[in-house]
Amino acid sequence: MCLRDERVLLGVSGGIAAYKAAELVRRLRDAGAQVRVVMTDGAKRFITPLTLQALSGNPVRDSLWDEGAEAAMGHIELARWATRVLVAPATADTLARLAHGHADDLLSTLVLATAAPVAVAPAMNQQMWAHPATQANVALLRGRGVQVFGPGAGDQACGEVGPGRLLEPDELVSALASQVRASAMLAGVRVLITAGPTFEDIDPVRFIGNRSSGKMGFAVAAAAAAMGAEVSLIAGPVALPTPVGVARINVRSAAQMLAAVMDALPGQDIYIGAAAVADYTPACVADKKIKKTAADMAVALDRTTDILATVTAATPRPFVVGFAAETHDLEHYARDKLQRKGLDLIAANQVGCAGGGFEADCNTLQVFWADGERTLGPDSKAVVAQQLLALVAERRAMANA
Ligand code: C5P
């Protein structure tokens, strides 16, 4: 586990797990990192700044308004100094404040001011962790590329049992070390990703759509950016925030998505088609709202152009990854698509069953290539996305070897 070239800004917020920050600082330094600690007011009720100062070998900061400390290293310099920010433990309140961009204490201000990757390690009572407000805040942070380490499950200080325990210091150090390894994996690589559904208009008020939420494709875009890639994301109509460092182009229909893809394609190294593109589109779009006068009606549909197949037919072509959402016979249909569309890799997921699919935050992917397969997850779409990209980097390196 190597953090030799890393300067870790450790944010400690106020929960009982703050006592583990002492051990965490030691482990981070054992792994070779330089460590500077920032504490919230709440954290100082659980562990003293003196302890963390002695262990980190650097003064501990706890205020935006400390003139002496600001004269030595201002908060903006501190934000620039960090190559990684880790908030551990991250309480429910700290997660909420970070998710909503507060800047009224030193830690929240540093998280806004830094360009370094940010990771949070939540720790709280299991009910607080399960609360929809906390889950929504975590989803917001994830969507912006913040990595979430844990929480673990088990006995809690409050006497309850469940998810909400801070990961152990060793686990946090190894999570940070894998983040460091991953961040170089796609350095300088250009990745083009499609995500979300497409909407095919029938008339000015109606359309044919599908249940894709875009969450998987957006998670792939966030993970690719975190791994050092230059990411372009062509998004169908979804209301998800754009991940940090990702260039986004919004489209509505399959035809618009095809045009945007072909426009962005030259010079791309990897193409990942995570969008659920409509297979059929109304043959003509009524220019006025269709009235319900007849007892029944039929809408004539034309086939759309297959974007993936068009991309694989291009020369030069990027490394191409397709997705397959299937309700049954997953491997059979996925392998058929892999071959028929000339893909390098296909990521298949079972929809219409519990534990994954369109609107869920978790997913399991079965990934197939010509002479192999691997199962990723079940885990959060963020973690599955990182695993998928690590596999893409590995397979692409083999293909180029
Ligand atoms: O054949 P099927 O639509 O199930 O294949 C799914 C894969 O094909 C996805 O990667 C999707 O983005 C892509 N696709 C496409 N253009 C279409 C239809 C699907 O790129 N018109």
Side-chain angles (χ1 to χ4, degrees), residues 150-165:
D155 292 335
Q156 300 204 298
C158 52
E160 295 180 15
V161 179
R165 282 171 60 91

Side-chain angles (χ1 to χ4, degrees), residues 48-121:
T48 70
L50 198 60
T51 306
L52 297 179
Q53 176 175 308
L55 293 170
S56 66
N58 281 310
V60 169
R61 297 281 302 268
D62 56 11
S63 169
L64 257 179
W65 312 114
D66 179 336
E67 287 169 20
E70 283 291 311
M73 190 191 262
H75 64 277
I76 298 294
E77 284 169 81
L78 192 53
R80 287 192 191 128
W81 170 86
T83 56
R84 309 265 147 199
V85 176
L86 171 61
V87 184
T91 60
D93 181 61
T94 294
L95 291 175
R97 293 157 52 72
L98 299 185
H100 296 284
H102 286 224
D104 56 356
D105 72 357
L106 183 60
L107 177 58
S108 55
T109 304
L110 287 170
V111 169
L112 278 190
T114 191
V118 177
V120 294

Side-chain angles (χ1 to χ4, degrees), residues 194-196 198 254 257-258 261 271-280 303-311 321-326 333 336-337 340-341 343 345-347:
T194 64
T198 63
M257 188 171 275
L258 173 69
V261 166
Y271 175 82
I272 302 179
V277 187
D279 295 320
Y280 294 92
R303 274 291 283 270
T304 56
T305 305
D306 194 301
I307 305 173
L308 262 185
T310 312
V311 170
V321 182
F323 270 73
E326 304 292 348
Y333 286 117
D336 172 62
K337 264 173 222 176
R340 195 163 32 84
K341 301 195 187 195
L343 311 178
L345 211 70
I346 190 153

Side-chain angles (χ1 to χ4, degrees), residues 339-393:
Q339 211 179 15
R340 195 163 32 84
K341 301 195 187 195
L343 311 178
D344 296 293
L345 211 70
I346 190 153
N349 60 352
Q350 189 106 25
V351 292
C353 67
F358 283 139
E359 286 111 353
D361 289 316
C362 282
N363 209 4
T364 306
L365 287 181
Q366 240 172 307
V367 187
F368 302 96
W369 57 97
D371 55 358
E373 66 172 278
R374 197 177 295 173
T375 302
L376 309 178
D379 215 316
S380 69
K381 284 184 173 172
V383 170
V384 172
Q386 285 157 20
Q387 294 173 346
L388 175 66
L389 285 162
L391 179 58
V392 168

Side-chain angles (χ1 to χ4, degrees), residues 252-309:
R252 180 173 170 84
S253 65
Q256 287 171 359
M257 188 171 275
L258 173 69
V261 166
M262 295 322 284
D263 198 38
L265 194 63
Q268 297 290 342
D269 301 301
I270 298 173
Y271 175 82
I272 302 179
V277 187
D279 295 320
Y280 294 92
T281 190
C284 51
V285 184
D287 57 1
K288 293 200 179 65
K289 184 179 174 189
I290 300 168
K291 305 307 288 180
K292 54 172 183 289
T293 43
D296 55 19
M297 75 172 286
V299 179
L301 301 174
D302 287 342
R303 274 291 283 270
T304 56
T305 305
D306 194 301
I307 305 173
L308 262 185

Side-chain angles (χ1 to χ4, degrees), residues 88-329:
T91 60
D93 181 61
T94 294
L95 291 175
R97 293 157 52 72
L98 299 185
H100 296 284
H102 286 224
D104 56 356
D105 72 357
L106 183 60
L107 177 58
S108 55
T109 304
L110 287 170
V111 169
L112 278 190
T114 191
V118 177
V120 294
M124 68 199 72
N125 163 272
Q126 49 99 16
Q127 291 279 6
M128 292 171 76
W129 172 249
H131 196 285
T134 304
Q135 289 302 311
N137 290 331
V138 169
L140 257 181
L141 290 167
R142 275 204 168 110
R144 295 199 199 110
V146 171
Q147 287 215 341
V148 182
F149 297 160
D155 292 335
Q156 300 204 298
C158 52
E160 295 180 15
V161 179
R165 282 171 60 91
L166 183 69
L167 292 187
E168 294 306 321
D170 279 343
E171 293 175 301
L172 289 173
V173 172
S174 70
L176 209 58
S178 25
Q179 189 195 57
V180 170
R181 275 195 305 277
S183 56
M185 221 172 243
L186 293 174
V189 176
R190 296 187 67 193
V191 183
L192 179 62
I193 299 166
T194 64
T198 63
F199 287 176
E200 309 301 319
D201 289 338
I202 298 172
D203 69 15
V205 294
R206 304 177 180 97
F207 61 84
I208 299 173
N210 63 66
R211 291 179 56 180
S212 168
S213 64
K215 286 179 183 170
M216 191 66 222
F218 274 62
V220 172
M227 291 161 99
E230 203 181 301
V231 186
S232 303
L233 173 65
I234 298 176
V238 291
L240 296 173
T242 309
V244 173
V246 168
R248 172 177 183 170
I249 298 161
N250 288 324
V251 297
R252 180 173 170 84
S253 65
Q256 287 171 359
M257 188 171 275
L258 173 69
V261 166
M262 295 322 284
D263 198 38
L265 194 63
Q268 297 290 342
D269 301 301
I270 298 173
Y271 175 82
I272 302 179
V277 187
D279 295 320
Y280 294 92
T281 190
C284 51
V285 184
D287 57 1
K288 293 200 179 65
K289 184 179 174 189
I290 300 168
K291 305 307 288 180
K292 54 172 183 289
T293 43
D296 55 19
M297 75 172 286
V299 179
L301 301 174
D302 287 342
R303 274 291 283 270
T304 56
T305 305
D306 194 301
I307 305 173
L308 262 185
T310 312
V311 170
T312 51
T315 36
R317 56 161 271 181
F319 186 91
V320 181
V321 182
F323 270 73
E326 304 292 348
T327 54
H328 58 284
D329 292 336

